[in-house]
Amino acid sequence: MATEHDEYMGSLKARLAKLFEVSLKVTVPNELDVEPLVAACNGKFGDYQCNNAMGLWSKIKGKGAPFRGPPAVGEAIKNNLPTSEMIESCSVAGPGFVNVVLSKNWMAKSIQKMLIEGIDTWAPLPPVKTAVVDFSSPNIAKEMHVGHLRSTIIGDTLARMLEFSKVKVLRRNHVGDWGTQFGMLIEFLFEKFPNFEDATETAIGDLQAFYKASKQRFDADPAFKERAQQAVVRLQGGEDKYRRAWAQICQISRTEFHKVYQRLGVHLEEKGESFYNPYIPGVIEALNKQGLVEESQGARVIFIEGINIPLIVVKSDGGFNYASTDLAALWYRLNEEKAEWIIYVTDVGQQQHFDMFFKAAKRAGWLPQGDSSYPKASHVGFGLVLGEDGKRFRTRNTEVVRLVDLLDEAKVRSKAALIERGKGEEWTEEEIESTAEAVGYGAVKYADLKNNRLTNYTFNFDQMLNDKGNTAVYLLYAHARICSIIRRSGKDIEELKNKGTLVLGHKDERDLGLHLLQFAEVVEEACTNLLPNVLCDYLYNLSEIFSKFYSNPECKVIGSDMETSRLLLCEATAVVMRKCFDLLGITPIYKI
């Protein structure tokens, strides 16, 4: 029976750290809680390196330690390492760096074990059981725009990586479905549709245009404005007719959002602003009892140390705002949903709001002071999507780009490229449609995710859909080529997994094997730092390392003496690529 510890063996780095932890306890028994500093290295001296010697030396010199300088500490760390089948050799370099060369046999066996038992055995195990990922979060009655695309794609990938890592993820769509704009929308709905319950998406038409028209009316007609303000009071007071109209508008909007989520293959559970509204008074009262809420210019606020503006939790007119809702939502997530990590995915422009809100939660004692202990809250900020002109991405008439149109355009272009390559004659209509969809939507997602999320990037269809360079198209085709190598061999790969033996004899085979084995720690790093681009870099490098192996005449696959072993290496590469695609929300393709 595999223990939880055994399952964690996907991560080479974690496994080596365990060995060095044992060595450090023997080497410096009087130094408590020394974290092993293990890192992958460039391969010149070894595969991994333990870098504790210098730091330890500065701690222990003058304490009567039996060492003379960092190299001697490194030697002792090396000599006290427990024997392990994963290590072929160790050496000490420079100021005590302990270099480790992994055993080829152990590496080959580990990859083969993964092929038999499945890639899930390589999942990292983070120290949390339940996480909330709050992402996408469009506003009701407004169009989803490119900013929502970023939040949706990044949030979905973070959720997928955590789910793969055995964390229970609550995927939350914190939609803007409450607030003063609803009075305006409801009154406008009553005017346009006296039988408002007959108003459907078709009848209303473009919800964005409906919103704009109601806003124009609100700004131009004082009597309408008065009625709209009354409508808000009646809605928030729970009057049935107003509640029904509000629900109707939300439902029409939801149908629009669903078109985007369906294309992206993204699942969310909606808990909008309205859900947390009933909790706000109690939460603010509790903060008030702690002495955190103060009066300031008629409003009720929480002062945050080091920030010259306060966090307003009740406006001067007595109304609630984003901060009130966010505090209530955080309270609910910590106390009712028992989440240990709450992750908010929004644009970097909201950084200060989250900074203040998290500090308020720390003042209240909801979150620990340090950022390394749990429960914790993290803001995942992202930059802008730019057009070719270097400005915020818009259509020609300066409107925000509709996401549905954007995704459909990617599919249309992708389909045209397939037809151009003659697939119209070779493939069924269904194959062309599904491939165009996988490639088109995958291209849009990958072009976003491969960038460090904090930077802006330029949206360019031609670059995204290029089949050369670091693009989804190149990677999807690379995967399909590996699948075709296995098909062309005529061998039953499932049978080979159980009966064949994987050997990493050639340097290029070993390089590929090592990169495959580093998959778990890459997922762990991407999760810990909330950076999907780390996984994209890994995937692109994997395809490049595979290409080097496959194009080397010395590593011929089909018809060579090492055919079985090399087919298993091809299959392992395809399995890891597929899991990377899955974590990025991209559908793989199996033929081109």
Side-chain angles (χ1 to χ4, degrees):
M1 174 92 178
T3 65
E4 198 169 88
H5 179 63
D6 288 333
E7 283 178 28
Y8 196 30
M9 292 321 170
S11 171
L12 284 184
K13 201 161 139 186
R15 190 156 182 171
L16 285 168
K18 287 264 177 246
L19 294 174
F20 278 105
E21 200 177 317
V22 174
S23 169
L24 289 163
K25 279 181 181 154
V26 178
T27 308
V28 282
N30 300 327
E31 297 297 320
L32 301 174
D33 302 322
V34 180
E35 280 284 311
L37 304 173
V38 176
C41 52
N42 63 12
K44 189 176 166 191
F45 299 111
D47 302 313
Y48 283 82
Q49 202 170 56
C50 175
N51 302 328
N52 285 83
M54 281 172 75
L56 273 178
W57 174 245
S58 63
K59 273 178 153 186
I60 62 178
K61 67 180 173 185
K63 287 188 185 175
F67 306 111
R68 297 178 67 176
V73 180
E75 282 293 342
I77 294 171
K78 182 193 88 158
N79 295 337
N80 289 325
L81 257 185
T83 53
S84 165
E85 62 167 339
M86 73 186 295
I87 297 177
E88 194 158 290
S89 64
C90 281
S91 58
V92 178
F97 299 127
V98 184
N99 292 304
V100 174
V101 175
L102 296 170
S103 149
K104 285 191 294 196
N105 290 346
W106 179 84
M107 288 165 66
K109 274 200 288 196
S110 299
I111 294 167
Q112 198 153 358
K113 191 167 186 266
M114 178 278 286
L115 283 174
I116 295 164
E117 295 178 8
I119 187 86
D120 286 1
T121 56
W122 279 6
L125 289 178
V128 286
K129 288 191 169 60
T130 305
V132 168
V133 183
D134 176 327
F135 66 109
S136 196
S137 310
N139 286 318
I140 294 289
K142 288 190 179 175
E143 202 71 73
M144 280 181 82
H145 57 72
V146 165
H148 296 122
L149 179 69
R150 292 217 74 183
S151 176
T152 306
I153 290 171
I154 294 166
D156 181 52
T157 291
L158 295 175
R160 284 168 181 265
M161 290 195 297
L162 286 163
E163 284 158 350
F164 172 62
S165 308
K166 319 276 197 291
V167 176
K168 178 187 176 187
V169 178
L170 307 175
R171 296 160 157 261
R172 292 285 176 260
N173 202 2
H174 188 87
V175 296
D177 65 351
W178 204 243
T180 49
Q181 78 274 25
F182 278 96
M184 171 183 94
L185 289 164
I186 287 168
E187 273 309 311
F188 198 63
L189 183 72
F190 289 162
E191 266 190 13
K192 291 280 172 200
F193 299 92
N195 300 327
F196 68 87
E197 279 164 338
D198 297 341
T200 59
E201 191 191 345
T202 322
I204 282 184
D206 186 345
L207 206 54
Q208 185 87 339
F210 184 84
Y211 184 91
K212 274 189 181 158
S214 70
K215 180 82 174 84
Q216 281 170 350
R217 190 76 205 283
F218 183 85
D219 292 340
D221 182 341
F224 179 83
K225 186 175 184 174
E226 173 87 11
R227 289 202 306 279
Q229 285 163 341
Q230 279 304 306
V232 176
V233 176
R234 296 173 116 178
L235 168 67
Q236 295 184 344
E239 226 175 281
D240 185 53
K241 179 184 173 188
Y242 289 82
R243 278 284 171 135
R244 291 202 323 270
W246 167 76
Q248 183 79 347
I249 292 165
C250 289
Q251 193 46 50
I252 292 165
S253 230
R254 240 176 242 126
T255 308
E256 277 298 305
F257 300 158
H258 182 66
K259 290 176 185 170
V260 173
Y261 298 139
Q262 199 178 17
R263 282 164 175 74
L264 291 173
V266 170
H267 303 285
L268 283 140
E269 186 186 355
E270 187 182 304
K271 269 193 167 63
E273 289 173 5
S274 62
F275 177 86
Y276 303 104
N277 206 57
Y279 296 93
I280 295 175
V283 167
I284 288 171
E285 184 49 38
L287 294 170
N288 192 36
K289 278 184 182 155
Q290 284 181 272
L292 298 185
V293 181
E294 301 174 47
E295 295 286 326
S296 174
Q297 298 176 3
R300 300 178 73 196
V301 305
I302 298 174
F303 285 99
I304 310 292
E305 199 180 330
I307 299 176
N308 55 10
I309 53 166
L311 186 72
I312 298 170
V313 293
V314 183
K315 295 186 293 188
S316 53
D317 64 3
F320 300 130
N321 61 1
Y322 280 133
S324 339
T325 307
D326 279 345
L327 283 164
L330 180 61
W331 179 89
Y332 183 87
R333 287 161 176 180
L334 290 167
N335 293 283
E336 299 293 323
E337 296 179 320
K338 307 290 186 220
E340 295 145 288
W341 196 5
I342 298 115
I343 297 162
Y344 299 82
V345 187
T346 75
D347 64 274
V348 287
Q350 295 187 45
Q351 182 68 55
Q352 191 187 40
H353 164 75
F354 282 100
D355 191 31
M356 291 172 72
F357 152 52
F358 294 164
K359 282 180 175 160
K362 285 176 182 180
R363 268 194 75 190
W366 296 359
L367 297 171
Q369 287 302 322
D371 286 329
S372 55
S373 40
Y374 296 91
K376 72 174 176 179
S378 305
H379 176 236
V380 174
F382 54 80
L384 296 172
V385 182
L386 307 175
E388 296 297 323
D389 57 0
K391 294 178 183 160
R392 198 186 275 261
F393 186 49
R394 296 184 183 282
T395 54
R396 284 201 183 86
N397 59 359
T398 76
E399 285 293 332
V400 175
V401 180
R402 291 181 76 227
L403 287 196
V404 170
D405 297 343
L406 190 85
L407 294 165
D408 289 350
E409 170 84 354
K411 182 182 168 182
V412 165
R413 286 174 181 240
S414 172
K415 187 174 176 179
L418 289 170
I419 302 290
E420 205 176 296
R421 294 177 53 191
K423 298 300 171 192
E425 284 78 61
E426 292 174 36
W427 291 3
T428 64
E429 182 59 27
E430 197 182 331
E431 282 175 323
I432 286 180
E433 282 294 311
S434 63
T435 305
E437 211 163 270
V439 173
Y441 301 163
V444 172
K445 286 186 179 187
Y446 189 81
D448 189 307
L449 294 168
K450 75 176 182 183
N451 301 285
N452 182 315
R453 58 177 165 76
L454 291 165
T455 57
N456 300 339
Y457 78 94
T458 303
F459 193 97
N460 180 316
F461 271 127
D462 293 335
Q463 279 176 354
M464 282 178 191
L465 293 163
N466 194 331
D467 60 4
K468 290 175 183 62
N470 190 6
T471 67
V473 188
Y474 167 73
L475 294 164
L476 287 165
Y477 284 4
H479 171 261
R481 281 190 195 99
I482 297 172
C483 295
S484 82
I485 294 164
I486 296 167
R487 276 197 305 272
R488 281 205 321 271
S489 76
K491 296 287 172 13
D492 179 343
I493 199 72
E494 292 307 313
E495 198 179 314
L496 295 188
K497 283 181 195 178
N498 292 294
K499 290 185 180 168
T501 305
L502 181 63
V503 181
L504 301 173
H506 191 280
K507 184 189 178 298
D508 288 353
E509 292 174 316
R510 191 185 185 284
D511 289 350
L512 178 56
L514 179 62
H515 195 73
L516 290 170
L517 284 162
Q518 288 171 334
F519 168 72
E521 64 213 49
V522 168
V523 176
E524 187 166 36
E525 185 196 336
C527 269
T528 305
N529 300 320
L530 303 168
L531 290 172
N533 63 298
V534 168
L535 185 64
C536 296
D537 292 345
Y538 171 85
L539 176 58
Y540 179 63
N541 289 334
L542 176 58
S543 69
E544 295 288 272
I545 294 166
F546 177 84
S547 192
K548 184 170 179 258
F549 148 76
Y550 187 68
S551 56
N552 187 333
E554 292 173 26
C555 294
K556 184 182 175 204
V557 178
I558 298 173
S560 76
D561 295 346
M562 300 302 293
E563 182 180 80
T564 295
S565 170
R566 287 174 185 158
L567 283 171
L568 289 172
L569 197 51
C570 289
E571 174 68 3
T573 306
V575 166
V576 171
M577 284 187 89
R578 280 197 287 279
K579 182 42 79 175
C580 290
F581 288 139
D582 178 49
L583 297 177
L584 297 168
I586 294 171
T587 306
I589 58 172
Y590 293 84
K591 65 177 198 176
I592 48 166

